[in-house]
Amino acid sequence: MAQQMQHKVSDLGKVHLMGIGGVGVSAVARLLLDAGVTVSGSDAKDLPVLRELEERGARVHVGYDPQNLQDAQTVVISSIIKPGNPEYDEAVARGLRILHRSEGLAATMAGHHTVTVAGTHGKTTTTALTAHMLRTAGTSPSFAVGANIASLGVNAELGQGSIFVAEADESDGSFLNYRPDVIVVTNIEADHLDHYITAEAVHRAFEDFARLLPEDGLLICCADDPGAAALARTMRRERPGLRVQTYGFSDTADRRLSDAHPVGERFVATVEWGSGQEHELNLAIPGEHNLLNAAAALAVGMHVGLEVEEALDALASFTGAARRFEFKGEVASIRVYDDYAHHPTEVAAALRAGRAVADEGELHVIFQPHLFSRTYEFYRQFAEALSLADTVSVLDIYAAREDPIEGVTSALIADRIEVPSAVLDNEQAIVRVVESAAPGDVIMTIGAGDVTHLGPRIVQAMREQQD
């Protein structure tokens, strides 16, 4: 596979970032500022992160204008920036160096021992767990995560240590721009088929990513996921000298989890490996999927030389990532959570976690499908996953970057859910869950769109009902 040119921060000069308000581009901006680079940027929306970057020394603009480039020497763009954007067109006309967000991030990784976390699901939480563990253990890692993390304070930071932990986004194939020393693969499933077209192409991309590892690299794969386990087998066969480790509840895993169960508000499992050692993995975030994520982080910790108990203690203090089973409030013993899940496997995992937290109570869900193409591809699987709830309200599809597809509506999902369900607007959905929920129940808002804004409104509606 052709090697992409690798850039160094010292070669970039003054950098202008387009789409700087997005979580991925803002992470690059923070890292460049930490490195002492002169940074400017623009975004279509006036977001709070712009003020934060401005306070750090960046020159930021709301709206795109060729004059915003000023004397920039390098331009970093998000995936949504295309020809026709006036700043992009100006950068092309001036012959400026134009880098994709991933290439800008790769430049900040240079000179570090780089750990990249990839997968169709779980990569944000696993990256955050790993960065939190390393920072808590005092290694001062650099990191870039696809969400804001309360325990870290920011989504990206250039640390003083030698380790760089980064979330590697496979959605557009841009993770192939990285040069990792360690790769964690949480799972591989068909997704982002608007880019890849076929499931086979998704798997090939992960194989190409694993081939980027150096001879002394390390590949860490989830043994419970068929796609990740197949990748581990392929790389063991193709590169016998490469170190490959697996983790999971599977009997074949190198680091094996067992006896997963809730203890109060926490989730606990036993973790052991070939040496016969057994340890307790104890988390503040719910669900077996998060125990798997933490096992992956633990494998990284052992790789970089942490003592096992030191790593486990650090993982135990992690409180979660934004929009990953994020607690929004409680009224009359009814708890409200928000989750970013937008693929059927993620939705099922989130609902199983919600079930565990609800215990004897019921689970009420507001789900917003994300993308017409994903809804068309997976509507049956979404319906099956959502049937784990007691009631489901399905919002209209969040289009994001897509145009509508004829015949593809939220009813494709709602009509196939095996528990009481309906396609509702935001106001109707809020009324329904507030009227349905009783003490001990759990309400969840789920999806990658603006459904996240409903959580606080549900909490407020319940408070008004109590008055």
Side-chain angles (χ1 to χ4, degrees):
M1 190 179 65
Q3 294 286 304
Q4 297 292 320
M5 177 181 177
Q6 295 298 290
H7 302 275
K8 296 180 180 179
V9 169
S10 58
D11 299 332
L12 301 183
K14 297 178 180 179
V15 180
H16 182 78
L17 300 100
M18 300 171 63
I20 197 170
V23 68
V25 181
S26 67
V28 177
R30 293 184 196 277
L31 293 163
L32 292 172
L33 288 165
D34 285 349
V37 174
T38 300
V39 169
S40 63
S42 53
D43 201 277
K45 297 179 180 179
D46 189 3
L47 302 166
V49 68
L50 302 188
R51 305 287 78 78
E52 296 172 18
L53 293 171
E54 201 168 42
E55 291 172 3
R56 295 279 309 280
R59 175 172 50 84
V60 298
H61 308 273
V62 178
Y64 296 110
D65 188 310
Q67 296 183 2
N68 293 341
L69 294 175
Q70 294 194 10
D71 57 350
Q73 295 159 287
T74 298
V75 172
V76 173
I77 63 172
S78 71
S79 296
I80 65 171
I81 302 298
K82 307 291 183 185
N85 180 294
E87 289 185 15
Y88 180 88
D89 291 347
E90 175 71 8
V92 172
R94 285 167 50 179
L96 300 181
R97 179 191 293 113
I98 301 176
L99 304 180
H100 183 265
R101 166 196 53 76
S102 59
E103 295 174 295
L105 179 57
T108 69
M109 295 176 180
H112 292 87
H113 187 74
T114 301
V115 178
T116 53
V117 181
T120 315
H121 336 287
K123 55 184 174 288
T124 296
T125 300
T126 303
T127 307
L129 276 160
T130 304
H132 170 86
M133 172 191 67
L134 294 172
R135 183 198 250 186
T136 303
T139 68
S140 187
S142 299
F143 57 86
V145 191
N148 291 316
I149 311 301
S151 65
L152 299 173
V154 290
N155 61 333
E157 182 178 83
L158 199 62
Q160 301 300 310
S162 62
I163 304 168
F164 197 122
V165 183
E167 180 175 342
D169 180 16
E170 85 289 351
S171 65
D172 56 2
S174 61
F175 63 170
L176 298 177
N177 288 322
Y178 304 139
R179 293 298 172 265
D181 298 290
V182 178
I183 290 176
V184 175
V185 178
T186 57
N187 39 59
I188 307 173
E189 288 193 63
D191 198 9
H192 307 294
L193 298 184
D194 54 330
H195 173 78
Y196 287 104
I197 309 302
T198 67
E200 291 75 18
V202 177
H203 288 264
R204 284 197 300 271
F206 276 89
E207 290 176 1
D208 288 340
F209 186 47
R211 291 182 183 114
L212 297 175
L213 285 167
E215 290 304 313
D216 61 348
L218 171 63
L219 176 65
I220 301 170
C221 292
C222 180
D224 293 5
D225 176 74
L231 177 64
R233 291 192 299 271
T234 296
M235 298 312 296
R236 279 171 170 157
R237 182 174 62 252
E238 183 178 303
R239 296 180 60 182
L242 183 71
R243 289 177 296 157
V244 178
Q245 294 180 4
T246 59
Y247 65 93
F249 290 93
S250 169
D251 291 339
T252 65
D254 299 319
R255 299 188 187 277
R256 290 181 297 277
L257 293 171
S258 62
D259 190 28
H261 60 280
V263 178
E265 295 294 315
R266 301 184 68 85
F267 271 66
V268 177
T270 298
V271 58
E272 54 98 8
W273 46 93
S275 62
Q277 298 180 72
E278 286 192 359
H279 300 273
E280 183 181 81
L281 179 58
N282 188 317
L283 299 181
I285 50 177
E288 289 189 1
H289 62 298
N290 280 319
L291 290 168
L292 288 169
N293 295 337
L298 176 63
V300 174
M302 303 299 290
H303 163 70
V304 301
L306 298 186
E307 295 294 330
V308 62
E309 292 299 340
E310 177 184 34
L312 290 168
D313 286 347
L315 292 170
S317 65
F318 180 74
T319 53
R323 298 224 57 210
R324 274 68 180 179
F325 209 86
E326 183 178 6
F327 180 66
K328 307 304 289 187
E330 180 176 348
V331 178
S333 298
I334 301 169
R335 290 161 288 180
V336 180
Y337 296 89
D338 179 51
D339 200 278
Y340 186 71
H342 55 283
H343 183 281
T345 302
E346 295 170 343
V347 172
L351 265 62
R352 284 194 292 268
R355 274 277 177 221
V357 170
D359 195 16
E360 297 296 321
E362 292 194 338
L363 178 60
H364 308 279
V365 170
I366 299 177
F367 174 66
Q368 182 183 48
H370 185 260
L371 300 179
F372 292 97
S373 60
R374 184 179 284 125
T375 302
Y376 176 71
E377 192 73 31
F378 298 119
Y379 63 88
R380 293 182 181 85
Q381 294 93 323
F382 277 125
E384 181 180 359
L386 290 165
S387 296
L388 295 171
D390 290 289
T391 69
V392 181
S393 301
V394 184
L395 306 181
D396 287 336
I397 297 169
Y398 188 82
R401 58 187 180 270
E402 290 187 340
D403 294 324
I405 299 174
E406 185 176 354
V408 178
T409 70
S410 295
L412 285 175
I413 297 171
D415 290 349
R416 291 165 173 81
I417 296 173
E418 297 176 0
V419 298
S421 62
V423 178
L424 303 172
D425 63 25
N426 289 357
E427 303 306 323
Q428 293 168 330
I430 291 171
V431 170
R432 185 178 188 226
V433 294
V434 170
E435 290 180 349
S436 300
D441 289 357
V442 165
I443 296 171
M444 296 185 68
T445 56
I446 298 178
D450 55 12
V451 66
T452 184
H453 301 308
L454 299 192
R457 295 180 58 191
I458 293 168
V459 173
Q460 181 60 33
M462 291 194 298
R463 285 177 180 149
E464 292 172 357
Q465 189 181 60
Q466 293 295 303
D467 293 341

